[in-house]
Structure formats: C-alpha cells, structure tokens
Amino acid sequence: MMSNPPLARHHILLSLAAAIIASTSPSPSADLLPKVAAFANARYDRHHHRVTRTDDDAVAVTTRSRSPLPLATGRRGNFFSPSSSVVRLNAWWNWNANDDDDDDATTTKAAVADVKLLIEEKIANTDRGRSMRDSDRPAIHSLLSDLESLCALSAPARDARMEGPWIVLYTDAPPPSNGQLGFLKGIAKQVIDLNEGTYRNELYVGGDGADEDENAWLSAILDATWCEWDGVYLDGDSAEDGGGGNDAVAEEKDPGATTWKVDFESITLSVFGVSIFTQRFEAGTSRTWRMSYLDDDTRIVRAGKTGRG
C-alpha cells in the first residue's frame, strides 16, 4: 500500500503552524494546543480506521533509560537487565533479607525472569503497543498481572528506585501519552525526581542515541508535581451512592504506599530545540499513578483519572 506524504505533511504543518500562532498571539487560547493535538489525532484515526480509546485507566511498562545521566546507579542496562553491581546487590537484599527460605526466593526470581521474557516476546514488533490490535491486548495484560503478583515490595511508590528516567516500552494509553501525535511517532520518557517531588513526561520525535531521545527535532515536555495519594477519589463521588461530595475515599489503609497523585502544571512544545509554545494546565488537573510493579530496571504504572482503579 502506498503512503500518503501530502496527508502527513498536512498534519504536521497544521499542528506546528497552530502552535506557532498561539505562541506569538497576544492572547492565545489556553486550550488551543490540546485542540490542535485532538484534531490531528482524529484525522489520523479516521484515515487509518483506528478506534480511539475511551477507558478511564491505562497501563505502561517502563524500563530505565540508557541515556548518559549522572546517576549513582551507574550505566543503564538493557531491557529488564541489572544496571550495575550495586543495584544487583540491592536486588539480592530486597529479595532475601526477609525470606527464611532461599529456595523460595530463587524460585520467585526465576518466575519473574520467565514472565519478563514472555512480556518481552509479546510486545516485540508492536511499536511499543501502538500497533497492537485490541484483540491481542488481553494476553499481554494477563502477563502484566502475573508480574504484578510477583512484586516483592509492599510500598513501591516509596522505593528509591523510582528515581530517574524511564522509557516507555509498552502502553495502551491514547496519544500523546503513548509517544504519538497524529502520524508522528516518537519516544515517551518519564523522569522522576524524588527529592523535588517533580515528574516530567517527555516525548521525542526524530531523536538518536541509545533510547532515541537525544537531538530530537521535535519534543513535547509535560511538567508536573507529585505527592502521595491520600485516597480521596479525584472525581469526588462516593463509590456507594454515586454522590457524597469530595470526601469519598478508597478503602486502602495506606494508599500512598503504592499510589501518587500527579498534578499537571504545563506542557512545552519545541522544534529543533527552540520553544514555540507553553501552555499551563488549569488548577486541579490531576491523575493517579499506581505503581503495581517495581524492581531495578522494570516498572509497571497504572494511571487513572479518578483513582478508582
């Protein structure tokens, strides 16, 4: 099947032109960028007969970035592999410190390795999940549930290994969270700073380097802050009666052990390193992040609009 370059050029020129106009206008519309993105994505969806996802929650599998950064854990490893002897020692301690039976610990680690291998095989050649058919997703999600059940941490959201950059390997999230804007496909990267309580969702198109996130000609950076989730549902509705105001809470005893509340602050679009548009989000634009699995090089995150899961 022949490609359609004019259609592709139309999408990107429309998106970039609107962003440039917005950035130079004395009174740019506050919601222009999302409208442009939605329009470009809708055009792409119609052209490729793609069904737009409408679910409340999404899942993402991430691995540590291999881009050079001054992190104490040393050189980043490959997919699902330990990155340094220090990390391997920490992993050994986490698995064995509270386990009286070394054989059980070894069996568990072997099970984790087996499930990871199956996940790697399932997501191969799926363009990080973007080209996967909806009918094929239950199989990969079943494997993700298997890996989540093997998580050795009771409080992954408080673990020091959350720190740093993570590359999205698979997600069922819609654009642009899956690293796509219209016909443009790039790399989605999440950068966490535990000390500052900040989070960045970075999208890079046309980049190079180990993770294809360096020297990109197009980038979109979403800046956010995070805090431990207190269990209050973000929609303010009671799970029992459909109302109840803003005090409806989850039944978890310690929701902050696994879940963050992420507050979006701004998003910046840049072309060839030059910022052309920055939009600030309205106060209260928030999501929940539930860390359902974490080890040295692998993390599973389940994002939701309300926290109801």
Side-chain angles (χ1 to χ4, degrees), residues 163-221:
E163 173 79 17
W166 298 82
I167 297 292
V168 176
L169 294 173
Y170 166 85
T171 183
D172 62 350
S177 298
N178 64 354
Q180 180 172 342
L181 178 61
F183 80 100
L184 293 172
K185 296 181 180 180
I187 298 299
K189 184 176 183 179
Q190 301 169 351
V191 183
I192 297 169
D193 190 317
L194 295 179
N195 291 328
E196 297 296 327
T198 59
Y199 154 71
R200 300 182 71 177
N201 194 354
E202 305 175 353
L203 186 156
Y204 297 101
V205 176
D208 53 30
D211 291 317
E212 302 178 41
D213 59 344
E214 302 174 39
N215 306 312
W217 70 270
L218 176 65
S219 67
I221 308 297

Side-chain angles (χ1 to χ4, degrees), residues 126-139:
T126 68
D127 192 24
R128 301 176 187 269
R130 290 179 293 224
S131 65
M132 179 176 283
R133 295 175 300 181
D134 289 342
S135 59
D136 292 334
R137 292 194 188 277

Side-chain angles (χ1 to χ4, degrees), residues 12-46:
I12 185 58
L13 290 175
L14 173 67
S15 301
L16 295 182
I20 293 172
I21 291 171
S23 66
T24 56
S25 172
S27 303
S29 172
D31 59 352
L32 178 59
L33 184 56
K35 287 181 178 178
V36 169
F39 179 77
N41 288 328
R43 289 289 301 274
Y44 182 88
D45 290 342
R46 288 197 296 271

Side-chain angles (χ1 to χ4, degrees), residues 1-4 47-48:
M1 179 179 296
M2 295 181 64
S3 62
N4 194 335
H47 179 67
H48 292 273

Side-chain angles (χ1 to χ4, degrees), residues 57-60 145 148 156-157 162 229 252 255-262 287-294 299-304 307-309:
D57 298 304
V59 63
S145 296
E148 289 167 329
M162 287 289 296
W229 185 43
E252 299 175 61
T258 61
T259 308
W260 290 350
K261 176 174 173 284
V262 178
R287 295 291 186 270
T288 58
W289 262 27
R290 181 165 63 88
M291 272 56 73
S292 55
Y293 184 86
L294 176 69
R299 184 186 55 146
I300 299 178
V301 183
R302 294 188 177 271
R308 296 185 183 279

Side-chain angles (χ1 to χ4, degrees), residues 203-285:
L203 186 156
Y204 297 101
V205 176
D208 53 30
D211 291 317
E212 302 178 41
D213 59 344
E214 302 174 39
N215 306 312
W217 70 270
L218 176 65
S219 67
I221 308 297
L222 184 150
D223 286 297
T225 59
W226 62 267
C227 62
E228 289 192 5
W229 185 43
D230 58 7
V232 176
Y233 294 131
L234 302 188
D235 58 359
D237 291 333
S238 170
E240 289 77 18
D241 57 18
N246 294 325
D247 58 350
V249 299
E251 296 182 356
E252 299 175 61
K253 293 183 179 180
D254 187 10
T258 61
T259 308
W260 290 350
K261 176 174 173 284
V262 178
D263 298 309
F264 297 161
E265 294 188 338
S266 65
I267 185 169
T268 299
L269 181 69
S270 299
V271 177
F272 296 110
V274 178
S275 174
I276 63 172
F277 185 86
T278 297
Q279 175 197 321
R280 297 200 65 82
F281 290 90
E282 293 183 2
T285 304

